[in-house]
Amino acid sequence: MTIIVTGGAGFIGSNFVYYELENHPEDRIVCLDALTYAGNLATLEEAMKNENFRFVKGDIADRDCVNKLFEEEKPDIIVNFAAESHVDRSIENPEIFLRTNILGTQVLMDACRKYGIKRYHQVSTDEVYGDLPLDRPDLFFTEDTPIHTSSPYSASKAAADLIVLAYHRTYKLPVSITRCSNNYGPYHFPEKLIPLMISRALADQSLPVYGKGENVRDWLYVEDHCSAIDLVIRQGREGEVYNIGGHNERTNLEVVKTILRELDKPEELISYVTDRPGHDMRYAIDPTKIHGELGWLPQTKFDDGIKKTIKWYLDNEDWWQNILAGDYQSYYEKMYKDR
Ligand code: NAD
Ligand code: DAU
């Protein structure tokens, strides 16, 4: 089979490329990625050595580029990771989120209709469900929880999900969607909470915690996300949505303090800064459906995964130092100067 992985030079997409090359050496993996600020070809250096892997630089919203790739590769499966993914950036500048996340998805789906495929898979997020209150630990997101988005990012992801489902209903396109909770692990871009805090703590810099740090996220080790998507694209039912998460809820403050403890750094580095506008309080996934239908269960508990992740950042300092040396420094100044 030939699988096109869009956004494969980003965090989760690259982990998925490696997961597929290792677990399905019989398949050809073609990565389509525009290499935005979040895409890093260095991440795919090892994959480039594999003859079953091809990298193509291109934009999912560019119809000619996408059609040409479909004509060349005749893919069986498309897994769409390509997206603008950072909530804070969507608050600063929503437009690119609508273009890539919504129109890009539509261009891919049109190509699927035109050329025919076995499966189009949309990598979505639990953020489409909005948030849960902190005082109701009994509540979880199920696949039937209404869409109720908060940020331009999550609204764009929800719009894409609805388009995917519409193409299934109207054109009978074989689609599936997964909605996953917060990932962490290797190759996570250092603007997101966990890698940001690791890299700043290592440099003895202040750690900017939004509000009181009470917000809760349901953390999933990235490899567990990859194994779930792999199951859904091969065995999941067409037209279905599957939630992915593993009951690893932590407040942001707990996460930051864990990182400080592991790195033997003082809690005085924590700096409480102005909250994110519209900040979602709590995400928590009920993974009953994917467990019951496909037998999926996460393998990595947060306490182990965070240790592995910190070790990865210590062992791969060049990877993230190169990123920090680039445009990212001016991004940090811009986003945090008035906080
Ligand atoms: P990321 O920002 O690390 O990577 C995104 C990748 O997409 C980059 O390589 C970038 O170059 C590429 N890209 C962006 N615009 C493109 C375009 N127009 N055409 C082609 N490529 C483009 O993102 P991530 O954290 O790896 O997330 C991947 C997907 O998973 C996203 O769709 C996101 O919504 C979803 N998701 C992420 C998380 C998480 O915790 N990070 C959780 C659930 C779902
Ligand atoms: O739930 C899935 C989502 O998880 C994905 O769809 C998104 O693509 C991904 O970015 C992530 O969104 P979050 O907004 O939850 O992730 P982020 O790492 O930006 O923030 C995690 C929490 O930490 C959130 O409550 C905000 C807080 N935070 C974040 C940063 C960057 C801070 O307190 N300080 C910070 O500097």
Side-chain angles (χ1 to χ4, degrees), residues 282-332:
R282 172 176 169 248
Y283 303 145
I285 285 279
D286 175 353
T288 305
K289 179 173 174 180
I290 189 168
H291 176 56
E293 279 190 26
L294 303 174
W296 177 85
L297 277 178
Q299 300 300 309
T300 305
K301 293 200 166 60
F302 184 78
D303 292 341
D304 300 328
I306 193 73
K307 286 194 176 77
K308 278 209 270 191
T309 302
I310 290 171
K311 182 170 181 334
W312 189 88
Y313 279 85
L314 289 170
D315 292 347
N316 293 274
E317 203 167 329
D318 281 359
W319 182 87
W320 53 270
Q321 287 289 10
N322 282 341
I323 292 172
L324 294 185
D327 282 354
Y328 181 63
Q329 265 317 323
S330 52
Y331 165 87
Y332 191 87

Side-chain angles (χ1 to χ4, degrees), residues 12 84-88 124-128 153 157 180-183 188 191-197 207-211 213 215-219 252 256 273 275-276 279-281 283 328 331-332 336 339:
I12 310 174
E84 289 293 332
S85 71
H86 191 34
V87 173
D88 292 329
S124 186
T125 167
D126 61 358
E127 294 200 19
V128 301
Y153 162 70
K157 293 296 289 185
C180 188
S181 59
N182 286 61
N183 285 217
H188 203 179
E191 67 185 349
K192 304 284 174 71
L193 180 78
I194 289 182
L196 181 84
M197 297 300 168
L207 308 187
V209 170
Y210 298 167
N215 307 63
V216 171
R217 296 294 183 264
D218 183 0
W219 294 98
N252 293 337
V256 172
V273 300
D275 210 349
R276 172 186 280 175
H279 198 173
D280 283 337
M281 285 317 298
Y283 303 145
Y328 181 63
Y331 165 87
Y332 191 87
Y336 292 85
R339 277 195 135 124

Side-chain angles (χ1 to χ4, degrees), residues 248-297:
N248 279 300
E249 289 180 51
R250 295 285 186 286
T251 66
N252 293 337
L253 205 52
E254 282 170 332
V255 170
V256 172
K257 286 185 176 174
T258 304
I259 292 169
L260 287 171
R261 229 177 12 256
E262 291 295 326
L263 291 175
D264 200 17
K265 297 285 183 180
E267 288 190 6
E268 286 67 40
L269 285 179
I270 293 173
S271 154
Y272 294 93
V273 300
T274 311
D275 210 349
R276 172 186 280 175
H279 198 173
D280 283 337
M281 285 317 298
R282 172 176 169 248
Y283 303 145
I285 285 279
D286 175 353
T288 305
K289 179 173 174 180
I290 189 168
H291 176 56
E293 279 190 26
L294 303 174
W296 177 85
L297 277 178

Side-chain angles (χ1 to χ4, degrees), residues 30 43 54 57 67 73 77 98 112 114 121 143 147 154 172-173 201 209 248 253 256 278 290 293 298 306 321 330-331:
V30 178
T43 305
R54 177 184 174 201
K57 183 175 184 307
N67 286 349
E73 291 290 346
I77 297 179
L98 274 59
C112 291
K114 183 169 176 179
H121 183 76
E143 290 77 1
I147 301 279
S154 56
K172 308 283 175 262
L173 205 69
V209 170
N248 279 300
L253 205 52
V256 172
I290 189 168
E293 279 190 26
I306 193 73
Q321 287 289 10
S330 52
Y331 165 87

Side-chain angles (χ1 to χ4, degrees), residues 5-9 30-37 39-41 44 48 53-62 64-66 68-69 72:
V5 177
T6 70
V30 178
C31 169
L32 174 66
D33 196 298
L35 296 181
T36 67
Y37 79 94
N40 189 345
L41 214 43
L44 293 173
M48 299 284 196
F53 178 77
R54 177 184 174 201
F55 177 81
V56 176
K57 183 175 184 307
D59 182 344
I60 59 164
D62 175 345
D64 291 341
C65 158
V66 168
K68 182 167 172 283
L69 186 62
E72 283 170 11

